[in-house]
Amino acid sequence: MTEPEDLSGEGSVTEPEDLSGEGSVTEPFQASPGDASFDGNAEEPSAGEDEDADADGNRKDAGKQSAESGPEAEKTDVKDKSENAEQTEAAEGVPDIVYSTHVQTYGWQDDRRNGAMSGTVGKAKRLEGIRIRLENTEVPGSVSYSVHIQSYGWQDARVDGAEAGTTGQAKRLEAIRISLTGELAEKYDIYYRVQAQTYGWLGWSKNGEAAGTAGQSKRLEAIQIVLVQKTAEPDYSALNGMAEISSGTKVTEAASYVNADIQYRTHVQSFGWQNYVANGGLSGTVGKAKRLEGIEIRLANSSVSGGVRYMTHVQSYGWQDWQEDGAVSGTVGQSKRLEAIRISLTGEIAGVFDIYYRVQAQTYGWLGWTKNGGYAGTAGQSKRLEAIQIVLVPKGGRPDTARLDALAGVNSSVKQTPGTGYVAKDPEPLYRAHVQSYGWEDWTGKNGIAGHPAEGKRLEAYSVRLDSSAWSGSISYRSNLKGSGWQDWKRDGGVSGTTGQNQELLAVEMKLSGEVEEKFDLYYSVYLHRTGWTEWSANGKTAGNPEGAGRIEGMRILILKKGTDTKTYLLRSSDPAAAETLDRIGWSLENAYAFASSLSYSGKTVYTEDWGSYVLAQQGFRNGTGNCYVMAATFYEMARVMDYEVYQIAGFIPLMSGGETAHSWCEIVVDGNVYVCDPNLTQSRGNDAYMKPYGSAGIWVYQNYHRMLKENP
């Protein structure tokens, strides 16, 4: 297909000319005066904030006030909270730095000096102007300062007490630079930090470095400034005491100046690489059924150290390795669709921003927003990604969904599945066994049985793998062999055990790793000769008996999502045929007994305790026939799945002609009391033999009996 003449209708945007410019179309957060903050909602006032102010501190009754209040307003509400704020002294021999700020609603505050706070905290009031000067100095030089103003950007520098910023225009200060000149700059360093909307107190800047934010529509609310001699450090503890910092005060010390753009482009089926877009722009196509095949993501204009990393789930290949800072993730020229993606920040920037992203997925439309390394897209469903949006949000904030919907062209007619950012098939184990006499068998899964426990054939080797690569990670396992002990760990389809050596497996251990381990638990059970199924082992625990008391003849494996009702699920899974029968007849002990008593009698089954209750019961569930052992076993299995304390009994009953014959029934233990349940007696004689104490009228005189194999899990 030829290159399309115009991709702009599909969200392709040309490289932005200046991503750092104030008010450029690619800038993520620029708002007009009085607009809400980036997340699209007015910030909830923190303790002490003006509840009648909008997200930028504009009062809702602003029509009744001027943007710059008169002298009376200046003297109310903004009184020094510490009586000695104006008495702060510089270190011996260091000039005094004196400054005053113009605060929304309040106007010009009184002078502060040498680290005292100017502005407000907890009132959601913007700084609009500032004046800075030096006193008590005989060293030649000046203090120079420049401010970044809403809508206007960086203003030319002012010096020695001149006003920087605006008054009467309701424009917020967003950042500031302060420096010394002349001999002053040779002898002293000037340190300063600001309280910024959303971020709280930022880290310290010095000697002309920017402090605050840019491109995010965040107001400055307060400032501290201090001079120190070269090679000295400010007294940070004392300065914290002057900044009204308490346990409830937000502090973002990882950065003193916050500015960054997230840029990205995608390789699209038929079209190739699109141009870079930034800060929530749509990359890819919508409504053209074109797959994303590759992606590059990078940070630009960042004032904070750190990077971005990302990994994609690719058709046929699964999850690729992490890529970083503009490298290609996915494929080019292989016609392989991207199905899912993860993106996270690294370094200091991860402490300043959250990274949010969402994808347009085949069939589902736009999925919900994911952040900070979470999964976005689909996996295990053969669904292509078609478009993506990525945006940086101040730490703890939320995306401006209205703005981002507009960038993506999302409206009521566009399909969305917003409840989740990731639709993925849960991983399932696939496993197979090398069985005595049979060799390698076919793969099984979903609690299938690997091996032949009904025939007493030993397992000699096995392999396990995950059938879904929706989640990154692996499955590992190892075996204990009779006479050899534990082997090394194998993983993801490797063979554990031996073939052609007639060695018995005695025990196994299995575990998950990587992302799949974080979200799922691994359970496994083995069938031991003359013991039956072991209880379920989980996440690396031993199943079987390394001491050699019983070889493994069967194996079952389950993977369950963390938080699953494990007990109920494992009970059902211990005998799926019993659970399916109860689903059909109703989950009650009486119904289970009635089913077992209804089996047609067949004396062809020759009992051996090597088989165990599980193997006997499968004959009853599968064929609907069986002798007393099969009837008792079906009742036993259903009672066990319902979590009763139940035992299958093997013993004898007297014959009318004399002597005795082998017989099987069950015991149910309730509150320490033992009750007989004999479905074969009810089937053959019609006697009520359900939940009867031993010695009751109408039941057999049982002799020489014992509980059969160790009860199943």
Side-chain angles (χ1 to χ4, degrees):
M1 178 176 288
T2 59
E3 187 76 15
E5 294 181 4
D6 180 14
L7 292 180
S8 62
E10 296 305 318
S12 177
V13 180
T14 57
E15 183 90 28
E17 293 182 5
D18 180 11
L19 290 176
S20 65
E22 299 303 314
S24 69
V25 292
T26 58
E27 186 168 308
F29 316 125
Q30 188 63 46
S32 59
D35 279 353
S37 63
F38 166 67
D39 63 9
N41 299 285
E43 295 181 67
E44 293 185 12
S46 58
E49 285 191 4
D50 185 352
E51 297 184 2
D52 290 325
D54 66 12
D56 196 30
N58 292 303
R59 291 189 59 84
K60 298 172 184 176
D61 58 351
K64 300 178 183 178
Q65 305 182 51
S66 63
E68 182 180 359
S69 301
E72 292 303 316
E74 294 177 25
K75 302 206 179 277
T76 55
D77 295 328
V78 193
K79 187 86 172 165
D80 269 341
K81 294 199 174 184
S82 59
E83 290 300 325
N84 62 350
E86 295 185 34
Q87 306 303 317
T88 306
E89 295 182 358
E92 185 176 352
V94 177
D96 289 308
I97 187 77
V98 183
Y99 42 97
S100 173
T101 55
H102 189 278
V103 180
Q104 174 191 355
T105 308
Y106 304 142
W108 285 105
Q109 289 189 308
D110 293 336
D111 285 343
R112 306 291 189 268
R113 64 180 63 220
N114 304 328
M117 187 191 82
S118 183
T120 63
V121 173
K123 292 182 177 290
K125 298 296 184 184
R126 64 179 171 265
L127 299 189
E128 298 176 343
I130 190 167
R131 299 183 296 219
I132 309 173
R133 69 181 189 274
L134 294 165
E135 291 183 354
N136 303 321
T137 179
E138 297 179 356
V139 179
S142 301
V143 58
S144 174
Y145 42 100
S146 175
V147 293
H148 188 281
I149 306 170
Q150 174 188 351
S151 303
Y152 301 150
W154 286 104
Q155 196 179 49
D156 291 338
R158 305 291 192 266
V159 296
D160 297 335
E163 293 182 9
T166 64
T167 57
Q169 297 186 44
K171 298 290 186 184
R172 63 181 169 266
L173 299 189
E174 297 178 342
I176 189 170
R177 299 187 182 109
I178 311 174
S179 60
L180 300 173
T181 66
E183 290 185 22
L184 279 168
E186 298 174 5
K187 297 190 65 175
Y188 304 104
D189 290 322
I190 187 164
Y191 282 80
Y192 43 99
R193 68 170 173 180
V194 294
Q195 160 91 14
Q197 177 186 352
T198 305
Y199 294 101
W201 283 105
L202 294 174
W204 288 89
S205 298
K206 71 174 183 178
N207 299 338
E209 297 170 345
T213 70
Q216 299 183 52
S217 303
K218 300 298 181 184
R219 63 181 171 265
L220 299 190
E221 298 176 345
I223 190 169
Q224 291 178 280
I225 312 173
V226 67
L227 262 62
V228 297
Q229 290 181 335
K230 285 286 186 185
T231 72
E233 286 283 330
D235 184 347
Y236 295 116
S237 176
L239 291 165
N240 285 344
M242 291 186 278
E244 300 181 13
I245 292 178
S246 64
S247 59
T249 303
K250 186 166 183 179
V251 178
T252 306
E253 292 182 338
S256 58
Y257 180 61
V258 182
N259 181 49
D261 295 301
I262 188 74
Q263 300 177 346
Y264 45 99
R265 66 173 182 166
T266 53
H267 190 277
V268 181
Q269 174 189 356
S270 303
F271 302 148
W273 285 108
Q274 292 188 316
N275 291 324
Y276 274 97
V277 298
N279 306 324
L282 183 146
S283 186
T285 65
V286 175
K288 291 183 176 289
K290 298 296 184 183
R291 64 180 172 264
L292 299 188
E293 298 176 344
I295 190 169
E296 297 175 349
I297 309 173
R298 67 192 185 193
L299 292 170
N301 307 313
S302 179
S303 62
V304 187
S305 64
V308 59
R309 67 174 191 161
Y310 40 98
M311 68 190 308
T312 53
H313 188 279
V314 181
Q315 175 187 352
S316 304
Y317 301 145
W319 285 105
Q320 293 189 319
D321 293 334
W322 288 100
Q323 301 297 328
E324 296 184 349
D325 302 325
V328 176
S329 182
T331 64
V332 175
Q334 298 186 42
S335 299
K336 298 291 185 183
R337 64 180 171 265
L338 297 189
E339 298 179 342
I341 190 167
R342 302 174 62 202
I343 311 173
S344 63
L345 299 172
T346 62
E348 286 189 351
I349 197 168
V352 178
F353 288 106
D354 292 320
I355 189 164
Y356 277 81
Y357 42 99
R358 68 171 174 178
V359 295
Q360 162 94 12
Q362 178 185 355
T363 305
Y364 294 98
W366 283 106
L367 294 173
W369 287 93
T370 301
K371 69 174 182 177
N372 299 340
Y375 295 83
T378 71
Q381 301 184 56
S382 301
K383 302 295 184 184
R384 64 181 172 265
L385 297 190
E386 298 177 349
I388 188 170
Q389 290 179 283
I390 312 172
V391 70
L392 299 177
V393 177
K395 199 71 179 177
R398 294 173 296 171
D400 181 354
T401 54
R403 185 186 74 89
L404 293 163
D405 282 351
L407 289 175
V410 174
N411 53 49
S412 59
S413 65
V414 175
K415 185 167 185 179
Q416 300 182 70
T417 308
T420 179
Y422 188 55
V423 182
K425 180 182 176 183
D426 288 349
E428 295 176 355
L430 285 176
Y431 48 104
R432 63 174 183 164
H434 189 279
V435 184
Q436 177 187 356
S437 303
Y438 292 100
W440 282 109
E441 297 192 313
D442 291 337
W443 293 91
T444 187
K446 291 187 175 180
N447 197 34
I449 295 175
H452 290 266
E455 300 177 25
K457 300 292 185 181
R458 67 178 174 267
L459 262 61
E460 297 177 340
Y462 63 97
S463 295
V464 190
R465 60 185 173 87
L466 302 179
D467 82 333
S468 171
S469 57
W471 311 91
S472 61
S474 298
I475 184 167
S476 303
Y477 40 93
R478 66 172 182 165
S479 304
N480 188 285
L481 303 180
K482 187 174 183 178
S484 301
W486 287 104
Q487 290 186 315
D488 293 335
W489 288 92
K490 304 294 181 182
R491 58 181 289 179
D492 298 332
V495 175
S496 185
T498 63
T499 58
Q501 299 183 39
N502 299 322
Q503 281 195 285
E504 297 178 352
L505 296 182
L506 301 180
V508 300
E509 294 176 350
M510 304 183 188
K511 60 185 179 181
L512 301 172
S513 62
E515 299 290 339
V516 70
E517 180 188 17
E518 297 176 6
K519 298 181 180 297
F520 299 90
D521 289 315
L522 175 67
Y523 294 91
Y524 41 97
S525 174
V526 295
Y527 192 98
L528 297 180
H529 180 65
R530 295 189 60 83
T531 303
W533 287 106
T534 64
E535 295 183 0
W536 291 97
S537 298
N539 302 328
K541 302 296 183 182
T542 302
N545 192 337
E547 303 304 319
R551 64 176 178 261
I552 294 177
E553 297 176 348
M555 176 184 295
R556 295 183 300 198
I557 307 175
L558 285 171
I559 294 178
L560 301 181
K561 186 173 294 184
K562 290 188 184 295
T564 300
D565 182 356
T566 304
K567 180 178 180 181
T568 299
Y569 196 97
L570 293 180
L571 284 170
R572 287 183 62 97
S573 299
S574 63
D575 191 337
E580 290 168 6
T581 300
L582 289 168
D583 285 339
R584 187 174 68 254
I585 66 175
W587 284 68
S588 73
L589 198 62
E590 294 90 337
N591 291 346
Y593 184 82
F595 175 86
S597 302
S598 71
L599 298 180
S600 298
Y601 185 82
S602 171
K604 294 181 180 179
T605 302
V606 178
Y607 166 66
T608 166
E609 287 201 18
D610 286 354
W611 289 2
S613 300
Y614 177 85
V615 174
L616 290 165
Q618 304 317 300
Q619 299 181 47
F621 293 131
R622 182 175 61 250
N623 303 325
T625 63
N627 62 10
C628 60
Y629 290 98
V630 172
M631 294 179 189
T634 56
F635 177 72
Y636 167 84
E637 287 293 304
M638 288 186 285
R640 183 174 59 82
V641 167
M642 289 187 285
D643 203 25
Y644 281 91
E645 184 180 349
V646 60
Y647 303 93
Q648 184 170 359
I649 310 300
F652 297 87
I653 55 174
L655 296 172
M656 293 182 63
S657 59
E660 59 184 17
T661 185
H663 186 62
S664 183
W665 63 99
C666 288
E667 292 178 353
I668 295 284
V669 180
V670 179
D671 296 331
N673 299 312
V674 179
Y675 299 92
V676 170
C677 292
D678 191 339
N680 176 243
L681 177 56
T682 298
Q683 188 272 344
S684 61
R685 296 294 181 88
N687 293 24
D688 179 9
Y690 172 71
M691 296 297 285
K692 299 294 183 180
Y694 280 104
S696 297
I699 65 172
W700 300 116
V701 177
Y702 302 103
Q703 301 172 350
N704 299 322
Y705 55 86
H706 65 278
R707 292 174 176 174
M708 283 172 50
L709 304 176
K710 175 185 175 183
E711 60 270 25
N712 292 335

